[in-house]
Amino acid sequence: MHFALTEEQKMIVETTRSFVENELYPHEDEIERTGHLPMEMVRELQAKAMEAGLYAANMPEEVGGAGLDTLSWLLYEKELGRANYALHWTCVARPSNILLAGTDEQKEKYLVPCMKGETWDCLAMTEPGAGSDLRGMTATARQDGDDFILNGTKHFISHADIAGFAIVFMATGEEDTPRGKKKLITAFFVDKGTPGFTVRDGYRNVSHRGYTNSVLEFDECRLPKSAVLGEVHKGFQVANEWLGATRLQVAATCLGRADRALNHAVEYAAERRQFGQQIGKFQGVSFKLADMATELKAANLLTWEAGWKFEQDTVTEADMSMAKLKATEVLAMIADEAIQIHGGMGLMDELPLERIWRDARVERIWEGTSEIQRHIISRELLRPLGG
Amino acid sequence: MKVLVPVKRVIDYNVKVRVKADGSGVDLANVKMSMNPFDEIAVEEAIRLKEAGKAEEVVAVSIGVKQAQETLRTALAMGADRAILVVAADDVHQDIEPLAVAKILAKVVEEEQPGLVLAGKQAIDNDMNATGQMLSALLGWSQATFASKVNIDGDKAVVTREVDGGLQTIKVNMPTIVTVDLRLNEPRYASLPNIMKAKKKPLDEKTAADYGVDASPRLEVVKTTEPEARQAGEIVPDVDTLVAKLKEKGIV
Ligand SMILES: Cc1cc2nc3c(=O)[nH]c(=O)nc-3n(C[C@H](O)[C@H](O)[C@H](O)COP(=O)(O)OP(=O)(O)OC[C@H]3O[C@@H](n4cnc5c(N)ncnc54)[C@H](O)[C@@H]3O)c2cc1C
Ligand SMILES: Cc1cc2nc3c(=O)[nH]c(=O)nc-3n(C[C@H](O)[C@H](O)[C@H](O)COP(=O)(O)OP(=O)(O)OC[C@H]3O[C@@H](n4cnc5c(N)ncnc54)[C@H](O)[C@@H]3O)c2cc1C
């Protein structure tokens, strides 16, 4: 076992970090203040990100990505994660892996424009009545000859406002299982502008200014069979197969921001003087730093290990849940303590800490709440014992 | 035309440098090392020449410790075609002096027959500003130092030099040695796909002995010290006092 980064990984970190610091950081304040990304700026940054080969680098080489192994990809995500989320997600987009599950025609129509930065994807599962319990969804697609007719509402759908299309999960039937009835789910591509499909502004939320969420409404929205992603009734299988690593992606982006917050805290503790000495000389401050650094290292190691196992195809659900759980909770702790170490200044928007603290909040909720991660971890422990 | 670009592994310019306790030099153990920034500019210029169809091949060469391989990988990831590593020391603290570097480079030039050597004007670690000039003397080639603009025109290179008091444009015969200054270009990021591809590009490993060059140090470092800490300033009540103070100190 060894933990050293390869030469390539070091270079990936270097390129991505320079880009984030030089090209993204300068726009952060404006987005925090306005909550809006001007399209002119988006286009300019997209072009720069493409030149640096950072745009959609999560994708395989065959479709124009960088062909990164899992660990290299996570290192890249960590560096991007340092910056305002809306900025990196929009201007250095990582199209969803699930687009690779499409047919050749679907890849041509949806993946290619995402790779070129002409549009963005969005993924709609959550409903007002179905969050953690996705199978409890009530939005449906009923078959009508060769067509499907969609009805229902999805909410909290990230950046559906700028996306050119949505990948939507709908209930398409039920099956009997030993544990009772179970809903069958199908995934569809739905283009913006399809009659019966409306995207409305969602809620304003505390985290990730500039990164919007929308409400998607379907009212007798008719789609041809060619809009099905994967197979009919097999929507969750497609999702499980292609979206497996998104928890690691969340973990990695959190590690980047946690590292940024910790660096601020360390520098401030060495610089700020009260009572005639550096505040870092007070154990009340220095022990905080020690705990922050230790927890962050633990979260890093959990994430890299899960990434390494993902690459070897030996990763378990619990491995990925542990990484996501730990990284998101450590980020929250570090953001909070970094503010504490800065005293009143930590709350002010002169520094990125107050927003890292706000942004940390959503990470424990999306991509599976902390409770759901604990549920997955404990299930893996207890199941062999019949639990 | 083939372009040869020497690149040096130096302490990263962002690192807060610490002097070793015995004053023999700067502490390089576990310190971030990077490509000398001037060399990055040279690599960028070489790649641009290739993109413009004026060069066919860009070869990066580094002389130093084995870890300089990382620096060469960066050059390859930026777009160099292949690399040559000449191991001339085992200890990361041993600096290879300009004359030894120039002698080795002269041998590499003999072997590779480039039409142009593009080097940084100096390395930011010891600021020698000598390698390019010495190489020119050893080879008997023309030289154009401190370049802020390079234009290859057949068998001539037209180079704008940053000299005290302005810019000087000279025309030199090819093959030639150009050392580059800060304003020549803005180096690109090593793009992610190119980083992945760099792994597959050839990197030859040689030693100083292969070229029959003795790279052991000739210079003796007597002492290394930190720059003196800046003195605290003084706030004066008005402009008159300021002017008086400046006069008192003989500054105006
Ligand atoms: C900003 C934002 C963007 C989002 N973007 C998207 C998107 O693009 N696409 C999309 O489909 N969804 C998206 N979501 C939805 C997100 O995935 C859900 O919010 C998340 O899955 C939780 O669902 P919920 O909010 O309905 O909470 P609920 O599931 O109602 O949970 C409420 C509470 O109950 C707890 N709980 C629920 N079940 C259990 C259990 N079995 N054991 C213990 N505790 C339990 C939860 O942990 C939580 O504390 C987004 C959410 C947010 C906030
Ligand atoms: C919104 C807001 C409104 C305010 N309003 C007012 C106001 O109206 N009037 C006013 O006078 N002030 C006001 N303040 C200032 C407030 O009282 C100070 O922010 C507070 O006293 C902390 O001081 P500081 O921010 O300079 O942090 P510092 O004192 O610099 O503290 C930095 C860190 O060092 C730690 N630390 C410092 N000394 C020690 C020690 N000896 N041992 C262990 N740890 C130590 C602190 O706990 C903290 O974690 C306001 C502050 C805010 C944020």
Side-chain angles (χ1 to χ4, degrees):
Chain A
M1 198 162 27
H2 76 92
F3 296 93
L5 299 189
T6 64
E7 281 167 23
E8 291 76 37
Q9 287 166 340
K10 282 187 208 160
M11 282 192 262
I12 287 167
V13 168
E14 207 147 291
T15 288
T16 316
R17 187 175 307 176
S18 316
F19 187 88
V20 165
E21 288 178 351
N22 299 331
E23 311 293 349
L24 300 187
Y25 282 2
H27 296 285
E28 286 186 326
D29 284 349
E30 185 195 336
I31 288 155
E32 291 299 330
R33 292 213 173 103
T34 63
H36 176 71
L37 280 73
M39 201 37 78
E40 221 171 273
M41 177 207 75
V42 171
R43 293 299 177 209
E44 190 192 316
L45 289 175
Q46 278 183 307
K48 285 185 178 172
M50 284 181 195
E51 210 172 293
L54 290 167
Y55 203 88
N58 61 315
M59 283 283 158
E61 241 179 310
E62 306 85 78
V63 300
L68 306 176
D69 59 276
T70 310
L71 262 179
S72 303
W73 166 61
L74 291 173
L75 288 164
Y76 151 86
E77 292 287 349
K78 176 179 172 183
E79 294 309 318
L80 291 176
R82 290 175 190 277
N84 167 287
Y85 199 91
L87 261 174
H88 71 74
W89 199 262
T90 312
C91 307
V92 197
R94 281 85 81 205
S96 173
N97 257 346
I98 207 169
L99 292 167
L100 295 167
T103 61
D104 287 346
E105 291 78 41
Q106 286 170 339
K107 283 189 213 162
E108 192 60 38
K109 184 167 175 198
Y110 298 109
L111 176 60
V112 171
C114 286
M115 296 302 297
K116 289 189 187 152
E118 292 163 1
T119 193
W120 293 265
D121 58 292
C122 71
L123 217 72
M125 299 192 186
T126 307
E127 297 179 5
S132 301
D133 178 20
L134 281 174
R135 258 198 218 272
M137 67 173 64
T138 56
T140 57
R142 71 169 195 277
Q143 208 146 358
D144 181 43
D146 263 355
D147 292 348
F148 287 85
I149 296 168
L150 278 53
N151 280 290
T153 302
K154 299 282 173 186
H155 79 164
F156 295 160
I157 308 310
S158 297
H159 61 145
D161 54 343
I162 60 164
F165 63 95
I167 299 166
V168 184
F169 291 75
M170 291 286 186
T172 40
E174 273 183 348
E175 64 178 345
D176 286 313
T177 73
R179 287 192 280 168
K181 282 199 187 306
K182 198 166 145 190
K183 276 189 183 148
L184 293 163
I185 312 290
T186 305
F188 297 90
F189 284 105
V190 190
D191 297 338
K192 280 262 183 80
T194 307
F197 172 38
T198 319
V199 177
R200 280 197 293 113
D201 284 350
Y203 318 89
R204 289 167 58 81
N205 89 84
V206 66
S207 301
H208 299 321
R209 292 226 171 112
Y211 194 67
T212 55
N213 65 85
S214 306
V215 177
L216 274 50
E217 281 168 352
F218 299 89
D219 179 14
E220 293 290 297
C221 173
R222 181 178 288 271
L223 296 177
K225 206 175 165 201
S226 60
V228 172
L229 171 59
E231 285 175 52
V232 176
H233 299 328
K234 298 270 169 71
F236 277 173
Q237 280 92 322
V238 186
N240 290 340
E241 187 178 342
W242 295 93
L243 300 179
T246 48
R247 269 171 286 168
L248 298 182
Q249 187 174 30
V250 172
T253 52
C254 287
L255 295 174
R257 282 205 307 295
D259 187 57
R260 188 175 176 190
L262 175 60
N263 289 341
H264 275 282
V266 171
E267 271 175 34
Y268 196 73
E271 198 177 89
R272 173 73 168 172
R273 299 177 74 86
Q274 289 289 281
F275 303 102
Q277 61 178 22
Q278 297 169 320
I279 57 168
K281 292 239 163 87
F282 297 116
Q283 239 176 41
V285 171
S286 64
F287 278 22
K288 274 194 210 304
L289 291 173
D291 287 344
M292 291 155 82
T294 307
E295 288 292 307
L296 182 56
K297 188 165 198 173
N300 267 292
L301 291 174
L302 274 174
T303 307
W304 303 151
E305 194 236 20
W308 180 79
K309 283 169 97 176
F310 191 91
E311 184 74 20
Q312 313 296 314
D313 239 348
T314 56
V315 78
T316 69
E317 290 296 316
D319 290 330
M320 294 193 280
S321 287
M322 284 178 188
K324 198 258 175 188
L325 174 66
K326 187 73 179 173
T328 56
E329 302 213 332
V330 164
L331 169 61
M333 182 276 274
I334 289 182
D336 195 67
E337 294 288 37
I339 288 181
Q340 194 63 23
I341 288 171
H342 280 74
M345 210 49 221
L347 296 171
M348 306 301 157
D349 66 1
E350 298 284 305
L351 289 168
L353 296 174
E354 59 89 21
R355 70 168 183 75
I356 291 178
W357 181 72
R358 281 188 285 107
D359 291 350
R361 199 61 195 85
V362 73
E363 309 290 355
R364 290 189 279 155
I365 291 174
W366 65 9
E367 287 304 326
T369 63
S370 286
E371 292 71 32
I372 293 301
Q373 307 305 337
R374 288 185 169 93
H375 166 72
I376 293 169
I377 297 163
S378 58
R379 191 177 61 189
E380 209 167 287
L381 294 170
L382 293 168
R383 217 174 236 172
L385 307 179
Chain B
M1 180 182 70
K2 190 191 282 185
V3 184
L4 189 74
V5 190
V7 295
K8 185 174 185 186
R9 178 176 185 267
V10 298
I11 193 162
D12 188 85
Y13 70 95
N14 280 314
V15 171
K16 231 178 161 176
V17 171
R18 270 176 306 134
V19 171
K20 284 201 287 187
D22 64 4
S24 64
V26 161
D27 193 358
L28 295 178
N30 298 315
V31 171
K32 185 170 182 231
M33 305 293 283
S34 300
M35 188 190 298
N36 178 36
F38 291 107
D39 302 348
E40 253 179 54
I41 295 169
V43 174
E44 174 67 33
E45 195 65 16
I47 300 165
R48 287 190 192 181
L49 284 172
K50 189 180 166 186
E51 285 167 351
K54 297 199 166 171
E56 279 86 51
E57 195 185 24
V58 177
V59 182
V61 54
S62 191
I63 296 153
V65 289
K66 201 165 163 77
Q67 291 90 322
Q69 206 186 96
E70 284 179 23
T71 313
L72 287 170
R73 288 282 173 212
T74 305
L76 293 172
M78 286 175 75
D81 298 294
R82 61 191 173 85
I84 303 167
L85 170 66
V86 184
V87 178
D90 299 325
D91 179 0
V92 292
H93 286 100
Q94 188 189 328
D95 194 39
I96 320 290
E97 290 164 6
L99 185 58
V101 173
K103 281 181 181 168
I104 293 170
L105 284 176
K107 299 279 186 187
V108 176
V109 166
E110 236 169 65
E111 232 172 62
E112 293 285 339
Q113 300 287 320
L116 173 67
V117 177
L118 262 174
K121 71 164 181 178
Q122 68 194 60
I124 60 161
D125 51 1
N126 55 20
D127 281 346
M128 291 282 196
N129 183 0
T131 305
Q133 293 89 328
M134 286 179 172
L135 180 62
S136 157
L138 288 173
L139 292 170
W141 284 15
S142 60
Q143 58 172 298
T145 50
F146 315 129
S148 65
K149 207 167 161 196
V150 177
N151 189 8
I152 306 296
D153 188 9
D155 59 355
K156 304 263 190 260
V158 180
V159 178
T160 303
R161 307 179 59 232
E162 296 200 351
V163 293
D164 283 351
L167 298 174
Q168 178 192 54
T169 302
I170 60 172
K171 194 187 262 185
V172 294
N173 288 326
M174 304 279 281
T176 189
I177 293 157
V178 175
T179 74
V180 307
D181 215 323
L182 212 53
R183 279 155 290 269
L184 178 60
N185 62 47
E186 208 176 296
R188 69 193 63 194
Y189 297 108
S191 85
L192 264 54
N194 284 343
I195 290 171
M196 299 310 277
K197 280 177 204 138
K199 200 164 31 175
K200 292 167 208 141
K201 290 183 180 175
L203 192 156
D204 281 342
E205 204 182 309
K206 299 268 175 66
T207 63
D210 291 343
Y211 293 108
V213 175
D214 173 8
S216 52
R218 306 307 202 255
L219 303 174
E220 187 194 339
V221 175
V222 181
K223 201 165 110 195
T224 311
T225 51
E226 307 240 356
E228 237 173 83
R230 263 179 65 177
Q231 304 287 315
E234 185 184 340
I235 294 176
V236 292
D238 51 38
V239 176
D240 289 343
T241 324
L242 175 68
V243 173
K245 288 259 180 201
L246 290 175
K247 278 193 176 143
E248 197 180 295
K249 293 197 187 288
I251 295 167
V252 291

